[in-house]
Amino acid sequence: MVQVCLNGPRTAADGTAVPLTPESMADSAAEAVAAGATDIHVHPKTPCGRDTLSPRVLAETLSAIRARVSVPVGVTTGAWAEPDPAARLERIRGWTVLPDHASVNWHEPGAEEVAALLLDLGVGVEAGIWSGTDGAERFAASPSGPEVLRVLAEVTDTGPSSAVDSARGLLSGLGDAHGRPVLLHGEDGGAWPVLRLAGELGLATRVGVEDALRLPTGRPAGSNAELVAAGLVEYEAGRRGARRGR
């Protein structure tokens, strides 16, 4: 499975490849799916480009994307979109259109409560476990762990030469991850090395403007579709490398 992460917390300052409106997110999603993406992760935005958990904005964004694609669509519940845990729960309770899944960063305050609420609503939970945090330890002890849809193993080390070691350390810390599927991905300078490692290990992965603004060649990416197409090539290269090593 290759998920496309359409925008993340990036803004217009990061370039024209970042979709910020429901219409541009829907266009980008459709192009990415045509390029081979099988799942979508998106950050709904306010008119000024800030991540939000607003029920109205979420409904507009999900409806626009679903009108163009038939693959699952997920959203963020990152604390930066609503720092107060109680207010975050209230926002989610107000959602009138539900995503197929939502990411929950396990190192953030209120993660257990957010995950439990999403599960009660019938929304799949992607457990975001970031390297460099205590997320793996918290997740190992979580009563919701066996119920999550999958684990997002997020490598925050952006060093091209060190991200793979950080990824292996993160996976080791996750252990059996409650038996849930693992999606491994990196960001910025570490995005492509970690994506190739995901291919080598046969894990799901993701790629898109949230994680990388440049292609493996170093050229700026013009779209999420371009990143997905390149990601599939890199993923297959990782798989071929693993087969040669057997």
Side-chain angles (χ1 to χ4, degrees):
M1 188 266 279
V2 175
Q3 181 183 81
V4 61
C5 45
L6 292 177
N7 50 9
R10 298 196 192 270
T11 68
D14 293 299
T16 58
V18 184
L20 299 173
T21 66
E23 294 75 20
S24 63
M25 293 177 208
D27 288 343
S28 189
E31 293 167 0
V33 169
T38 56
D39 192 277
I40 293 166
H41 173 76
V42 66
H43 291 209
K45 304 279 188 180
T46 64
C48 63
R50 188 179 71 83
D51 285 7
T52 181
L53 303 182
S54 158
R56 178 184 60 79
V57 175
L58 195 90
E60 291 175 356
T61 301
L62 290 175
S63 297
I65 293 173
R66 285 172 171 159
R68 302 289 302 281
V69 302
S70 57
V71 303
V73 184
V75 300
T76 184
T77 63
W80 58 87
E82 178 48 75
D84 179 70
R88 199 179 319 144
L89 292 171
E90 194 61 28
R91 285 284 205 176
I92 294 169
R93 288 191 190 97
W95 288 353
T96 56
V97 176
L98 296 177
D100 296 288
H101 50 76
S103 62
V104 178
N105 299 320
W106 234 260
H107 64 281
E108 293 178 347
E112 287 287 351
E113 293 78 9
V114 169
L117 174 57
L118 290 168
L119 290 169
D120 284 346
L121 292 172
V123 176
V125 171
E126 294 183 309
I129 312 298
W130 293 20
S131 64
T133 73
D134 63 353
E137 291 83 356
R138 291 188 180 194
F139 183 68
S142 172
S144 298
E147 300 181 65
V148 305
L149 176 66
R150 58 179 157 257
V151 172
L152 298 184
E154 307 197 18
V155 181
T156 58
D157 181 349
T158 60
S161 61
S162 58
V164 167
D165 285 343
S166 294
R168 292 188 185 278
L170 176 58
L171 293 173
S172 176
L174 277 168
D176 70 353
H178 291 287
R180 306 314 301 144
V182 174
L183 184 159
L184 176 66
H185 72 100
E187 57 187 45
D188 294 323
W192 296 111
V194 172
L195 187 149
R196 287 189 289 271
L197 177 64
E200 178 184 332
L201 299 176
L203 298 174
T205 193
R206 81 178 199 186
V207 66
V209 167
E210 175 173 356
D211 288 349
L213 293 173
R214 292 183 177 273
L215 296 165
T217 60
R219 180 173 64 82
S223 67
N224 277 301
E226 197 172 10
L227 287 164
V228 168
L232 290 170
V233 172
E234 295 295 308
Y235 188 85
E236 184 56 33
R239 292 186 65 185
R240 287 197 303 270
R243 289 195 291 267
R244 284 196 299 269
R246 292 192 184 124

